[in-house]
Amino acid sequence: MSTDMKVLIIGSGLGGLSLAQSLRRSGVPFEIYERDSTPFDRSQGYRLHLDGDAINTVGEVLTPDLQALFKETSQWTEPYTSIMMPKSLRVVKRLLTKDDLGQGVWPNTGDGTLIHANVDRATLRRILLSGLEDSIHFGKKFERYKILAEDKVIAHFVDGTSATGSCLVGADGVNSHVRVQRAPNLATMDAGITAIYGRLPAKAVQELGPKEALEDIFLIASDERKVFLGLGSVIFPTSPHEAANELGLDIELHPRESYVVCIVGGRHEFFPEAHRKATSAELQTIAASLIEGWSDNAAPLVRTGDSESFFAVHMRTSVPNTLDRPANVTLLGDAVHSMTPSLGRGANLAMRHGALLGRHLKRVAGGQGSLANELAAYEASMLEYGFKVVREAAEIGRQRMDQIPLDNVVDA
Protein backbone atom coordinates (compact mmCIF):
# COMPACT_ATOMS: atom_id res chain seq x y z
CA MET A 1 0.00 0.00 0.00
CA SER A 2 1.29 3.48 -0.86
CA THR A 3 2.64 5.36 2.14
CA ASP A 4 2.48 8.66 0.28
CA MET A 5 -1.27 8.85 -0.18
CA LYS A 6 -3.35 11.12 2.02
CA VAL A 7 -7.00 12.07 1.62
CA LEU A 8 -8.24 15.50 2.74
CA ILE A 9 -11.93 15.44 3.70
CA ILE A 10 -13.68 18.81 4.00
CA GLY A 11 -16.70 18.43 6.28
CA SER A 12 -17.69 15.95 8.97
CA GLY A 13 -21.27 15.12 8.07
CA LEU A 14 -22.48 11.56 7.66
CA GLY A 15 -20.97 11.15 4.19
CA GLY A 16 -17.55 12.49 5.12
CA LEU A 17 -17.45 10.39 8.28
CA SER A 18 -18.51 7.24 6.39
CA LEU A 19 -15.63 7.84 3.99
CA ALA A 20 -13.24 8.41 6.89
CA GLN A 21 -14.31 5.18 8.62
CA SER A 22 -13.85 3.29 5.34
CA LEU A 23 -10.34 4.68 4.94
CA ARG A 24 -9.59 3.95 8.59
CA ARG A 25 -10.47 0.26 8.16
CA SER A 26 -8.36 0.12 4.98
CA GLY A 27 -5.37 1.83 6.54
CA VAL A 28 -5.43 4.75 4.08
CA PRO A 29 -4.20 8.01 5.70
CA PHE A 30 -6.71 10.85 5.88
CA GLU A 31 -7.49 14.08 7.72
CA ILE A 32 -10.91 15.69 8.26
CA TYR A 33 -11.39 19.47 8.40
CA GLU A 34 -14.65 20.78 9.89
CA ARG A 35 -15.65 24.46 10.04
CA ASP A 36 -17.63 24.09 13.28
CA SER A 37 -15.80 24.44 16.58
CA THR A 38 -17.27 21.20 17.97
CA PRO A 39 -19.28 18.28 16.56
CA PHE A 40 -22.48 19.71 18.05
CA ASP A 41 -22.42 23.40 17.09
CA ARG A 42 -25.40 23.27 14.74
CA SER A 43 -28.92 21.90 14.93
CA GLN A 44 -29.07 19.44 12.04
CA GLY A 45 -32.32 17.69 12.75
CA TYR A 46 -33.37 14.71 14.82
CA ARG A 47 -34.63 11.51 13.23
CA LEU A 48 -33.19 9.91 10.12
CA HIS A 49 -34.62 7.06 8.08
CA LEU A 50 -31.95 4.59 7.01
CA ASP A 51 -32.51 2.11 4.21
CA GLY A 52 -30.27 -0.60 2.76
CA ASP A 53 -27.71 1.90 1.46
CA ALA A 54 -26.90 3.32 4.89
CA ILE A 55 -27.35 0.05 6.80
CA ASN A 56 -24.99 -1.76 4.45
CA THR A 57 -22.53 1.12 4.75
CA VAL A 58 -22.51 0.65 8.53
CA GLY A 59 -21.73 -3.03 8.04
CA GLU A 60 -18.89 -2.24 5.65
CA VAL A 61 -17.11 0.72 7.24
CA LEU A 62 -17.58 0.38 11.02
CA THR A 63 -15.74 -1.96 13.34
CA PRO A 64 -17.82 -4.79 14.88
CA ASP A 65 -18.16 -3.03 18.25
CA LEU A 66 -19.49 0.13 16.62
CA GLN A 67 -21.84 -1.93 14.45
CA ALA A 68 -23.22 -3.47 17.64
CA LEU A 69 -23.74 -0.02 19.15
CA PHE A 70 -25.55 1.09 16.01
CA LYS A 71 -27.89 -1.91 16.17
CA GLU A 72 -28.64 -1.37 19.87
CA THR A 73 -29.58 2.31 19.36
CA SER A 74 -31.66 1.98 16.17
CA GLN A 75 -35.40 1.49 15.83
CA TRP A 76 -36.05 -1.29 13.33
CA THR A 77 -39.32 -0.17 11.80
CA GLU A 78 -42.04 -1.74 9.74
CA PRO A 79 -41.21 -1.09 6.04
CA TYR A 80 -44.04 1.38 5.42
CA THR A 81 -44.56 5.06 4.77
CA SER A 82 -48.13 5.70 5.86
CA ILE A 83 -50.72 8.25 4.78
CA MET A 84 -52.99 9.89 7.38
CA MET A 85 -56.22 11.79 6.89
CA PRO A 86 -55.86 15.38 8.19
CA LYS A 87 -59.38 15.42 9.67
CA SER A 88 -58.76 12.36 11.84
CA LEU A 89 -55.02 11.56 11.80
CA ARG A 90 -56.19 8.04 11.00
CA VAL A 91 -53.92 5.98 8.74
CA VAL A 92 -55.73 5.14 5.51
CA LYS A 93 -52.86 3.71 3.46
CA ARG A 94 -49.51 2.05 4.19
CA LEU A 95 -47.09 2.23 1.26
CA LEU A 96 -44.37 -0.42 1.12
CA THR A 97 -40.99 1.31 1.02
CA LYS A 98 -38.52 -0.69 -1.04
CA ASP A 99 -34.76 -0.40 -1.37
CA ASP A 100 -33.34 0.42 -4.79
CA LEU A 101 -29.72 -0.47 -4.21
CA GLY A 102 -28.46 -0.65 -7.80
CA GLN A 103 -26.49 -3.45 -9.39
CA GLY A 104 -23.45 -4.86 -7.69
CA VAL A 105 -23.03 -2.21 -4.98
CA TRP A 106 -23.98 -4.39 -2.03
CA PRO A 107 -23.29 -7.98 -3.14
CA ASN A 108 -24.22 -9.59 0.19
CA THR A 109 -27.60 -8.11 1.01
CA GLY A 110 -29.16 -11.24 2.48
CA ASP A 111 -32.47 -12.82 1.52
CA GLY A 112 -34.15 -9.71 0.13
CA THR A 113 -35.98 -8.87 3.35
CA LEU A 114 -36.68 -5.13 3.54
CA ILE A 115 -34.76 -3.62 6.44
CA HIS A 116 -35.34 -0.06 7.58
CA ALA A 117 -34.22 1.82 10.65
CA ASN A 118 -35.13 5.12 12.26
CA VAL A 119 -32.16 6.59 14.11
CA ASP A 120 -31.27 9.68 16.08
CA ARG A 121 -28.98 11.78 13.90
CA ALA A 122 -26.78 13.00 16.76
CA THR A 123 -26.30 9.44 18.06
CA LEU A 124 -25.42 8.11 14.60
CA ARG A 125 -22.97 10.95 14.02
CA ARG A 126 -21.29 10.33 17.37
CA ILE A 127 -20.90 6.64 16.48
CA LEU A 128 -19.37 7.58 13.12
CA LEU A 129 -16.98 9.97 14.88
CA SER A 130 -15.67 7.22 17.15
CA GLY A 131 -12.03 6.38 16.55
CA LEU A 132 -11.47 9.44 14.37
CA GLU A 133 -10.52 11.83 17.17
CA ASP A 134 -6.85 12.08 16.17
CA SER A 135 -7.69 12.78 12.52
CA ILE A 136 -10.35 15.50 12.78
CA HIS A 137 -9.65 19.21 13.03
CA PHE A 138 -12.46 21.53 14.16
CA GLY A 139 -12.67 25.26 13.57
CA LYS A 140 -11.25 24.89 10.05
CA LYS A 141 -13.31 26.89 7.57
CA PHE A 142 -12.32 25.91 4.03
CA GLU A 143 -11.43 28.81 1.73
CA ARG A 144 -9.99 27.39 -1.50
CA TYR A 145 -7.77 24.69 -2.95
CA LYS A 146 -4.96 24.57 -5.48
CA ILE A 147 -4.02 21.52 -7.50
CA LEU A 148 -0.25 21.15 -7.55
CA ALA A 149 0.02 17.89 -9.49
CA GLU A 150 -2.13 14.92 -10.55
CA ASP A 151 -1.70 13.48 -7.06
CA LYS A 152 -1.11 16.61 -4.99
CA VAL A 153 -3.54 19.27 -3.80
CA ILE A 154 -3.34 21.92 -1.12
CA ALA A 155 -6.34 23.16 0.88
CA HIS A 156 -6.30 26.67 2.32
CA PHE A 157 -8.37 27.67 5.34
CA VAL A 158 -9.67 31.04 6.46
CA ASP A 159 -7.39 31.06 9.50
CA GLY A 160 -4.34 31.13 7.23
CA THR A 161 -3.38 27.48 7.66
CA SER A 162 -3.20 24.89 4.89
CA ALA A 163 -3.02 21.13 4.38
CA THR A 164 -1.56 19.07 1.56
CA GLY A 165 -2.76 15.71 0.34
CA SER A 166 -3.13 13.43 -2.66
CA CYS A 167 -6.80 14.24 -3.19
CA LEU A 168 -9.48 16.43 -1.65
CA VAL A 169 -13.11 15.48 -1.02
CA GLY A 170 -15.76 18.16 -0.63
CA ALA A 171 -18.22 16.71 1.89
CA ASP A 172 -19.20 20.15 3.14
CA GLY A 173 -22.95 20.13 2.60
CA VAL A 174 -25.49 21.91 0.45
CA ASN A 175 -23.62 25.23 0.68
CA SER A 176 -20.34 23.57 -0.29
CA HIS A 177 -17.39 25.90 -0.83
CA VAL A 178 -15.51 23.08 -2.53
CA ARG A 179 -18.31 22.70 -5.10
CA VAL A 180 -18.15 26.39 -6.02
CA GLN A 181 -14.55 25.93 -7.19
CA ARG A 182 -14.66 22.33 -8.41
CA ALA A 183 -17.95 22.47 -10.30
CA PRO A 184 -19.41 25.97 -10.68
CA ASN A 185 -21.92 24.52 -13.15
CA LEU A 186 -23.60 22.55 -10.34
CA ALA A 187 -26.37 24.69 -8.90
CA THR A 188 -28.92 24.40 -6.15
CA MET A 189 -32.40 25.90 -6.24
CA ASP A 190 -35.05 26.99 -3.80
CA ALA A 191 -37.60 24.16 -3.57
CA GLY A 192 -40.29 26.63 -2.53
CA ILE A 193 -40.94 24.82 0.77
CA THR A 194 -40.58 25.92 4.38
CA ALA A 195 -40.73 23.32 7.15
CA ILE A 196 -40.74 23.60 10.92
CA TYR A 197 -39.20 20.66 12.77
CA GLY A 198 -39.72 19.78 16.43
CA ARG A 199 -39.47 16.91 18.87
CA LEU A 200 -42.54 15.33 20.52
CA PRO A 201 -42.60 12.96 23.52
CA ALA A 202 -43.31 9.40 22.41
CA LYS A 203 -45.93 9.11 25.15
CA ALA A 204 -47.89 12.08 23.78
CA VAL A 205 -47.94 10.55 20.30
CA GLN A 206 -49.08 7.25 21.78
CA GLU A 207 -52.04 9.07 23.35
CA LEU A 208 -52.96 11.51 20.56
CA GLY A 209 -51.67 9.96 17.35
CA PRO A 210 -52.17 6.73 15.40
CA LYS A 211 -50.29 3.64 16.61
CA GLU A 212 -48.43 3.46 13.29
CA ALA A 213 -46.58 6.64 14.29
CA LEU A 214 -44.50 4.50 16.64
CA GLU A 215 -44.08 1.58 14.23
CA ASP A 216 -43.68 2.71 10.62
CA ILE A 217 -40.88 4.60 8.89
CA PHE A 218 -42.86 7.82 8.54
CA LEU A 219 -46.43 9.13 8.51
CA ILE A 220 -47.70 12.10 6.52
CA ALA A 221 -50.98 13.98 6.12
CA SER A 222 -51.68 16.97 3.89
CA ASP A 223 -54.64 19.21 3.18
CA GLU A 224 -55.96 20.99 0.09
CA ARG A 225 -53.16 23.57 0.39
CA LYS A 226 -50.63 20.73 0.53
CA VAL A 227 -49.63 21.94 3.95
CA PHE A 228 -48.39 18.77 5.58
CA LEU A 229 -47.74 17.17 8.94
CA GLY A 230 -45.09 14.45 9.12
CA LEU A 231 -44.38 12.15 12.06
CA GLY A 232 -41.34 9.89 12.43
CA SER A 233 -40.40 8.01 15.57
CA VAL A 234 -37.07 7.20 17.20
CA ILE A 235 -37.74 4.47 19.75
CA PHE A 236 -34.46 3.42 21.34
CA PRO A 237 -34.26 -0.32 22.12
CA THR A 238 -31.59 0.72 24.61
CA SER A 239 -30.82 4.28 25.65
CA PRO A 240 -27.62 5.35 23.83
CA HIS A 241 -25.46 5.95 26.90
CA GLU A 242 -26.63 2.66 28.46
CA ALA A 243 -25.91 0.78 25.22
CA ALA A 244 -22.35 2.14 25.12
CA ASN A 245 -21.82 1.15 28.75
CA GLU A 246 -23.25 -2.34 28.28
CA LEU A 247 -20.96 -2.92 25.30
CA GLY A 248 -17.95 -1.67 27.26
CA LEU A 249 -17.28 1.18 24.83
CA ASP A 250 -15.58 4.38 25.92
CA ILE A 251 -17.94 6.58 23.91
CA GLU A 252 -19.78 9.50 25.43
CA LEU A 253 -23.37 9.33 24.22
CA HIS A 254 -25.90 11.72 25.68
CA PRO A 255 -28.88 10.27 27.59
CA ARG A 256 -31.83 10.44 25.23
CA GLU A 257 -35.47 9.49 25.62
CA SER A 258 -37.46 8.01 22.76
CA TYR A 259 -39.27 10.68 20.77
CA VAL A 260 -41.18 11.46 17.59
CA VAL A 261 -40.05 14.16 15.20
CA CYS A 262 -42.85 16.30 13.80
CA ILE A 263 -42.57 18.34 10.61
CA VAL A 264 -45.12 20.96 9.60
CA GLY A 265 -44.42 22.38 6.17
CA GLY A 266 -45.74 23.82 2.95
CA ARG A 267 -45.15 26.55 0.41
CA HIS A 268 -43.28 29.60 1.69
CA GLU A 269 -46.38 31.81 1.39
CA PHE A 270 -48.20 29.91 4.14
CA PHE A 271 -45.60 30.98 6.70
CA PRO A 272 -45.59 34.49 8.19
CA GLU A 273 -42.47 36.52 7.46
CA ALA A 274 -41.90 36.72 11.21
CA HIS A 275 -40.96 33.03 11.30
CA ARG A 276 -37.49 33.92 9.99
CA LYS A 277 -36.62 35.55 13.32
CA ALA A 278 -38.92 33.53 15.56
CA THR A 279 -37.81 31.72 18.69
CA SER A 280 -38.28 27.97 19.03
CA ALA A 281 -41.45 28.44 21.09
CA GLU A 282 -42.82 30.89 18.51
CA LEU A 283 -42.10 28.43 15.71
CA GLN A 284 -44.00 25.79 17.64
CA THR A 285 -46.99 28.14 17.83
CA ILE A 286 -46.78 28.88 14.09
CA ALA A 287 -46.61 25.17 13.26
CA ALA A 288 -49.64 24.36 15.40
CA SER A 289 -51.64 27.25 13.93
CA LEU A 290 -51.06 25.98 10.37
CA ILE A 291 -52.97 22.77 11.14
CA GLU A 292 -55.47 24.24 13.61
CA GLY A 293 -58.45 23.25 11.45
CA TRP A 294 -57.45 19.61 11.20
CA SER A 295 -58.25 16.78 13.60
CA ASP A 296 -58.94 17.80 17.19
CA ASN A 297 -55.66 16.08 18.03
CA ALA A 298 -53.40 17.61 15.35
CA ALA A 299 -52.52 21.05 16.75
CA PRO A 300 -52.56 19.82 20.39
CA LEU A 301 -50.09 17.09 19.37
CA VAL A 302 -47.63 19.70 18.06
CA ARG A 303 -48.10 21.72 21.26
CA THR A 304 -46.93 18.76 23.37
CA GLY A 305 -43.46 19.14 21.87
CA ASP A 306 -40.33 20.38 23.60
CA SER A 307 -40.70 24.15 23.18
CA GLU A 308 -36.92 24.51 22.79
CA SER A 309 -36.65 21.91 20.00
CA PHE A 310 -38.31 23.71 17.07
CA PHE A 311 -36.41 25.17 14.12
CA ALA A 312 -37.26 26.16 10.55
CA VAL A 313 -35.71 24.96 7.29
CA HIS A 314 -36.05 26.52 3.85
CA MET A 315 -35.64 23.53 1.58
CA ARG A 316 -33.26 23.49 -1.35
CA THR A 317 -32.44 20.88 -3.95
CA SER A 318 -29.57 20.27 -6.33
CA VAL A 319 -30.19 20.68 -10.06
CA PRO A 320 -28.92 17.59 -11.91
CA ASN A 321 -25.95 18.31 -14.15
CA THR A 322 -22.55 16.93 -15.06
CA LEU A 323 -19.30 16.97 -13.11
CA ASP A 324 -16.69 17.79 -15.70
CA ARG A 325 -12.99 18.68 -15.59
CA PRO A 326 -11.75 15.46 -13.93
CA ALA A 327 -9.33 16.31 -11.15
CA ASN A 328 -8.01 15.01 -7.85
CA VAL A 329 -10.82 16.93 -6.17
CA THR A 330 -14.27 15.37 -5.91
CA LEU A 331 -17.59 15.82 -4.12
CA LEU A 332 -19.72 13.75 -1.77
CA GLY A 333 -23.23 13.84 -0.31
CA ASP A 334 -25.23 17.07 -0.13
CA ALA A 335 -22.30 18.95 -1.66
CA VAL A 336 -23.27 17.43 -5.00
CA HIS A 337 -26.78 15.91 -4.76
CA SER A 338 -28.81 17.52 -2.00
CA MET A 339 -32.54 16.92 -2.11
CA THR A 340 -35.73 17.60 -0.23
CA PRO A 341 -36.65 14.92 2.35
CA SER A 342 -39.71 13.61 0.51
CA LEU A 343 -38.03 10.21 0.03
CA GLY A 344 -35.96 10.27 3.22
CA ARG A 345 -32.87 9.23 1.27
CA GLY A 346 -30.35 12.09 1.55
CA ALA A 347 -28.35 10.59 4.41
CA ASN A 348 -28.50 7.17 2.77
CA LEU A 349 -26.91 8.43 -0.42
CA ALA A 350 -24.22 10.34 1.45
CA MET A 351 -23.25 7.24 3.42
CA ARG A 352 -23.46 4.94 0.38
CA HIS A 353 -21.15 7.18 -1.61
CA GLY A 354 -18.77 7.58 1.32
CA ALA A 355 -18.34 3.79 1.33
CA LEU A 356 -18.10 3.65 -2.46
CA LEU A 357 -15.44 6.36 -2.63
CA GLY A 358 -13.54 4.61 0.15
CA ARG A 359 -13.39 1.45 -1.97
CA HIS A 360 -11.94 3.35 -4.94
CA LEU A 361 -9.34 5.14 -2.83
CA LYS A 362 -8.31 1.84 -1.24
CA ARG A 363 -7.59 0.55 -4.75
CA VAL A 364 -5.41 3.58 -5.44
CA ALA A 365 -3.49 3.17 -2.19
CA GLY A 366 -2.99 -0.52 -2.96
CA GLY A 367 -1.60 0.18 -6.44
CA GLN A 368 -4.59 -1.40 -8.18
CA GLY A 369 -5.69 1.70 -10.07
CA SER A 370 -4.71 5.28 -10.82
CA LEU A 371 -6.21 8.13 -8.81
CA ALA A 372 -7.67 9.73 -11.95
CA ASN A 373 -9.34 6.53 -13.14
CA GLU A 374 -10.73 5.56 -9.75
CA LEU A 375 -12.17 9.02 -9.09
CA ALA A 376 -13.70 9.06 -12.57
CA ALA A 377 -15.35 5.69 -11.92
CA TYR A 378 -16.65 6.90 -8.56
CA GLU A 379 -18.05 10.11 -10.02
CA ALA A 380 -19.81 8.32 -12.88
CA SER A 381 -21.60 5.98 -10.47
CA MET A 382 -22.30 8.67 -7.88
CA LEU A 383 -23.75 11.14 -10.38
CA GLU A 384 -25.98 8.62 -12.14
CA TYR A 385 -27.45 7.20 -8.95
CA GLY A 386 -27.46 10.44 -6.97
CA PHE A 387 -29.25 12.56 -9.52
CA LYS A 388 -31.73 9.76 -10.23
CA VAL A 389 -32.79 9.96 -6.59
CA VAL A 390 -32.78 13.79 -6.65
CA ARG A 391 -35.28 13.66 -9.52
CA GLU A 392 -37.43 11.09 -7.73
CA ALA A 393 -37.44 13.16 -4.54
CA ALA A 394 -38.36 16.31 -6.46
CA GLU A 395 -41.29 14.58 -8.17
CA ILE A 396 -42.65 13.13 -4.92
CA GLY A 397 -42.14 16.56 -3.33
CA ARG A 398 -44.13 18.16 -6.15
CA GLN A 399 -47.00 15.73 -5.64
CA ARG A 400 -47.12 15.81 -1.84
CA MET A 401 -46.09 19.34 -0.88
CA ASP A 402 -46.16 21.41 -4.09
CA GLN A 403 -42.38 21.61 -4.40
CA ILE A 404 -41.15 23.71 -7.32
CA PRO A 405 -40.33 21.34 -10.22
CA LEU A 406 -36.67 20.94 -11.15
CA ASP A 407 -37.25 22.42 -14.60
CA ASN A 408 -38.32 25.70 -12.97
CA VAL A 409 -34.84 26.64 -11.80
CA VAL A 410 -34.94 29.67 -9.49
CA ASP A 411 -32.52 31.28 -7.09
CA ALA A 412 -29.64 29.16 -8.37
Side-chain angles (χ1 to χ4, degrees), residues 163-234:
T164 303
S166 307
C167 70
L168 183 146
V169 180
D172 49 341
V174 64
N175 297 314
S176 170
H177 286 246
V178 178
R179 183 186 67 239
V180 170
Q181 185 176 354
R182 171 66 177 87
N185 62 306
L186 290 181
T188 65
M189 62 174 276
D190 177 12
I193 305 298
T194 295
I196 295 175
Y197 288 70
R199 196 171 59 238
L200 311 179
K203 183 178 180 180
V205 178
Q206 187 176 25
E207 294 173 352
L208 298 174
K211 65 180 180 62
E212 291 89 350
L214 302 176
E215 300 170 357
D216 292 353
I217 295 169
F218 194 67
L219 278 68
I220 188 167
S222 62
D223 61 17
E224 64 280 357
R225 302 167 297 171
K226 294 195 175 178
V227 168
F228 64 89
L229 167 67
L231 300 172
S233 58
V234 177

Side-chain angles (χ1 to χ4, degrees), residues 389-400:
V389 179
V390 168
R391 292 186 180 95
E392 291 174 353
E395 175 57 21
I396 294 297
R398 183 192 66 79
Q399 295 173 18
R400 292 185 180 172

